[in-house]
């Protein structure tokens, strides 16, 4: 069974602090990893993709990948109330002769002013 | 178009009727996914099209659900004899090829079965 696991939350973080979201995955051979943000009533939108071990920074967002430990995380610095949303982790896995995006259930993040 | 387009945005139907939901992917995207999302829940995979390969239908919840993709572009998801439990948001996503690329979502179709 190929799985992606996330803590469902809610994760409550004070405004201005760092929010840390984590995701673990079961397929050691996975190579591509994505973080999406989904506001209530809206579609998921891509925040970041990461393919190599280490950190990847984009503005206030940093994705971290550790393939040996099979986890990927998303850090949000200087959290803003507008960051309140559900964050979805997606992992590209090879299944049944095709690559498939496997999704975590999402972590609900609440930024408290 | 510039993004993934879904229609209609909202659909209210009576129990027992058939509905068709449409997805127009980003031009050149060979992979297309359909998902269902109930209120407060995660994405439920329904079906996956990749190029000319046979679609992965493993997520379709019953034989009332079917989907097709004509000419490798537009896809239609059909639900026959709708039930109240079919009420959800149906999301379509597309991406280039099958590996390593991001998926982009349409705005979704909110289906309400009354």
């Amino acid at each position: 069974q190929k799985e992606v696991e996330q803590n469902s939350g809610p994760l409550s973080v004070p405004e201005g602090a760092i929010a840390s979201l984590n995701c673990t995955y079961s397929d050691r051979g996975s190579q591509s990893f994505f973080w999406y943000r989904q506001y209530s009533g809206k579609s998921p939108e891509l925040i970041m993709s990461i393919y190599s071990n280490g950190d990847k920074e984009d503005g206030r967002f940093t994705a971290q990948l550790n393939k040996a430990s099979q986890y990927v995380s998303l850090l949000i610095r200087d959290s803003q109330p507008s960051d309140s949303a559900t964050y979805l982790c997606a992992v590209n896995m090879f299944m049944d002769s095709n690559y498939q995006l496997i999704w975590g259930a999402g972590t609900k993040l609440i930024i408290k002013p | 178009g510039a993004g993934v387009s879904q229609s209609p945005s909202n659909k209210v139907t009576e129990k027992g009727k058939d509905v068709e939901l449409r997805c127009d992917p980003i031009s050149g995207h060979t992979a297309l996914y359909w998902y269902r999302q109930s209120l407060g829940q995660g994405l439920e995979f329904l079906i996956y099209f990749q190029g000319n390969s046979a679609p992965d239908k493993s997520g379709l919840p019953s034989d009332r659900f079917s989907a097709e993709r004509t000419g490798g572009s537009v896809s239609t998801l059909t639900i026959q004899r709708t039930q109240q439990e079919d009420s959800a948001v149906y999301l379509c996503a597309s991406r280039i090829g099958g590996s390593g690329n991001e998926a982009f979502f349409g705005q979704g179709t909110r289906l309400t079965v009354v």
Side-chain angles (χ1 to χ4, degrees):
Chain A
Q1 185 80 4
K2 303 208 172 183
E3 296 181 335
V4 175
E5 307 242 352
Q6 295 181 256
N7 188 318
S8 62
L11 175 65
S12 186
V13 173
E15 183 175 358
I18 296 175
S20 178
L21 303 161
N22 299 309
C23 171
T24 59
Y25 59 95
S26 61
D27 182 16
R28 187 172 287 278
S30 297
Q31 298 294 323
S32 310
F33 308 85
F34 308 95
W35 281 101
Y36 286 75
R37 177 177 62 199
Q38 186 176 26
Y39 292 116
S40 181
K42 300 295 186 183
S43 298
E45 57 179 333
L46 179 71
I47 300 176
M48 292 190 70
S49 55
I50 186 166
Y51 307 98
S52 303
N53 275 330
D55 294 0
K56 179 182 178 183
E57 188 174 317
D58 183 0
R60 294 186 297 111
F61 297 93
T62 299
Q64 299 176 318
L65 175 60
N66 185 322
K67 292 183 181 178
S69 300
Q70 295 174 238
Y71 81 78
V72 56
S73 60
L74 180 70
L75 302 179
I76 307 174
R77 289 183 300 281
D78 187 24
S79 297
Q80 302 297 309
S82 59
D83 295 326
S84 298
T86 295
Y87 289 80
L88 299 166
C89 172
V91 179
N92 210 27
M93 297 187 185
F94 193 74
M95 298 169 61
D96 299 328
S97 71
N98 268 314
Y99 282 96
Q100 283 248 32
L101 273 178
I102 306 301
W103 296 84
T107 298
K108 184 172 183 178
L109 176 65
I110 299 172
I111 306 300
K112 297 198 295 186
Chain B
V4 179
S5 179
Q6 291 187 246
S7 60
S9 298
N10 284 283
K11 177 72 176 178
V12 180
T13 190
E14 292 180 351
K15 178 181 172 181
K17 300 278 191 185
D18 298 353
V19 294
E20 281 189 355
L21 313 180
R22 176 187 168 105
C23 173
D24 198 345
I26 294 172
S27 179
H29 282 196
T30 59
L32 186 148
Y33 298 82
W34 282 99
Y35 297 95
R36 179 168 70 176
Q37 190 172 38
S38 300
L39 189 63
Q41 302 299 308
L43 296 173
E44 178 187 1
F45 167 75
L46 296 178
I47 189 168
Y48 166 53
F49 296 90
Q50 170 52 53
N52 294 322
S53 302
D56 178 351
K57 305 180 181 181
S58 61
L60 294 178
S62 77
D63 59 7
R64 296 186 296 106
F65 288 73
S66 63
E68 63 178 20
R69 189 177 185 192
T70 54
S73 183
V74 172
S75 178
T76 302
L77 177 68
T78 300
I79 309 173
Q80 296 179 308
R81 304 182 301 282
T82 51
Q83 304 295 312
Q84 287 186 327
E85 61 263 28
D86 300 334
S87 296
V89 175
Y90 290 81
L91 290 163
C92 174
S94 72
R95 67 174 179 170
I96 297 172
S99 166
N101 296 297
E102 304 91 343
F104 297 90
F105 284 83
Q107 82 279 17
T109 294
R110 181 175 299 277
L111 175 66
T112 304
V113 182
V114 297

